[in-house]
Amino acid sequence: MVEDVTDLYREFGEQRLPPGQHETDEFPVLSKGETPPWTRETWSFDVWGAVDERRSFSYEEFLELPATTQQQDFHCVTGWSTFDCEFTGVPFPTIAELAGVDDDATHVMFHALDGYTTDLRLDDCLREEVLFVYEHDGAELAADHGGPLRVVTPHKYAYKGAKWVDGVEFLTEAERGYWEQRGYSDTANPWNQERWG
Ligand SMILES: Nc1nc2c(c(=O)[nH]1)N[C@H]1C(S)=C(S)[C@@H](COP(=O)(O)O)O[C@H]1N2
Ligand SMILES: [Mo]
């Protein structure tokens, strides 16, 4: 079954296409640098910080976690939006529950193989449609789009969705990620045009 979350914009705005965006039929690739290499044997996904205990998953272990498939829109802060992408993966709240998040955790930092990081408030992550994705449109997630694993955040600009994600850190205070340190917004709500600041 595919969960249709293309209507989540109703929580934030009037129009499905956020203001200042244009729709494209393409799914462009946007990365700060090269696509990093990885191997199934050495890859692990780690959860640490303000949690009961540090957790580590091999690629095979991650694939065994309960997954969901959703149809969603994808909004890049540079102005393009792609409608109706289908992604399969593990919801953020499932990972948070497995790790046992501390009561004083307020923020999250995502870490990726290319050195990329991005931050969000914890309550912006504890949503079923924030997914750790390994399949796109029924096929294994392409390396350029973040394979083996990426995050998607349909309620935020897409820079909040770390490609090649291999770790999530729970924080007790706000910290800024790669683009956030370079001026992009911490909150990144597309319907409010939170691009900078
Ligand atoms: N690890 C990593 N994740 C990243 C990026 C990146 O450079 N490195 N770019 C971000 C930006 S700005 C966007 S718009 C989306 C692009 O995803 P796509 O290349 O699959 O379209 O990934 C985001 N996640
Ligand atoms: Mo972006």
Side-chain angles (χ1 to χ4, degrees), residues 115-132:
Y116 189 80
T117 53
T118 187
D119 62 278
L120 273 176
R121 290 174 52 101
L122 177 57
D123 56 4
D124 278 331
C125 296
L126 289 174
R127 300 175 58 110
E128 289 297 318
E129 71 275 11
V130 175
L131 292 187
F132 293 95

Side-chain angles (χ1 to χ4, degrees), residues 6-28:
T6 56
D7 63 352
L8 66 72
Y9 72 89
R10 292 175 202 278
E11 187 182 333
F12 304 103
E14 303 278 298
Q15 304 287 336
R16 180 171 173 188
L17 185 68
Q21 296 290 107
H22 65 269
E23 200 192 333
T24 170
D25 291 334
E26 311 285 301
F27 187 25

Side-chain angles (χ1 to χ4, degrees), residues 177-191:
Y178 180 85
W179 282 123
E180 292 84 357
Q181 287 171 30
R182 290 160 178 79
Y184 280 131
S185 164
D186 267 327
T187 48
N189 174 353
W191 292 273

Side-chain angles (χ1 to χ4, degrees), residues 27-34 36 74-78 80 82 87 111-118 141-142 144-146 150-151 157-165 178-179 184:
F27 187 25
V29 169
L30 218 131
S31 309
K32 70 174 177 66
E34 300 291 303
F74 191 98
H75 310 293
C76 176
V77 70
T78 61
W80 52 269
T82 303
F87 292 116
H111 296 262
L113 294 174
D114 61 340
Y116 189 80
T117 53
T118 187
L141 180 65
D144 285 352
H145 283 301
R150 75 165 305 157
V151 180
Y157 288 122
Y159 67 89
K160 294 296 182 180
K163 304 198 284 189
W164 313 297
V165 67
Y178 180 85
W179 282 123
Y184 280 131

